[in-house]
Amino acid sequence: MQKQLDAEAPGAVAILGVNEAGLEASNDLMTNGRTLPWLQDQSSVNAWGAWQVEYRDVIVRDAEGRKAGVYNLTLHDLAQPAHFAALKQLLLGARR
């Protein structure tokens, strides 16, 4: 999806992952062969708690860092074209 977003709106949307604190052991599996920037939450930061993240949530932030939406990938499988398009629109809409 990042490549499509870059083609439509160069530099306007950046996708990155944030792993839940305490699950560091899975980082190698998640990042192996991928180019997605991957951050590790720390219990001292607790981004997941502060943002009220559920497993597989995509938290969309606008240009000023405010929450613009949440899209859960368990409920919305991106293999379904309608779900892929909906998330892409959410991301593009947040850039304004």
Side-chain angles (χ1 to χ4, degrees):
M1 182 176 292
Q2 184 70 64
K3 288 180 184 179
Q4 288 183 12
L5 293 166
D6 287 343
E8 291 181 36
V13 177
I15 299 173
L16 59 91
V18 180
N19 192 31
E20 185 176 7
L23 299 179
E24 296 84 354
S26 300
N27 283 336
D28 286 343
L29 291 172
M30 182 59 198
T31 58
N32 187 29
R34 296 188 172 109
T35 59
L36 176 73
W38 192 248
L39 304 176
Q40 178 59 58
D41 194 6
Q42 301 290 316
S43 57
S44 60
V45 174
N46 193 23
W48 273 51
W51 291 359
Q52 300 175 329
V53 175
E54 296 291 330
Y55 178 68
R56 300 195 75 213
D57 275 351
V58 175
I59 308 294
V60 180
R61 298 280 175 173
D62 68 14
E64 281 137 35
R66 296 177 301 225
K67 187 185 282 188
V70 178
Y71 201 81
N72 185 277
L73 300 180
T74 299
L75 300 175
H76 304 99
D77 182 355
L78 294 185
Q80 300 294 320
H83 294 164
F84 187 94
L87 177 56
K88 187 173 158 188
Q89 272 314 116
L90 181 61
L91 292 166
L92 288 171
R95 66 191 167 108
R96 296 186 183 108

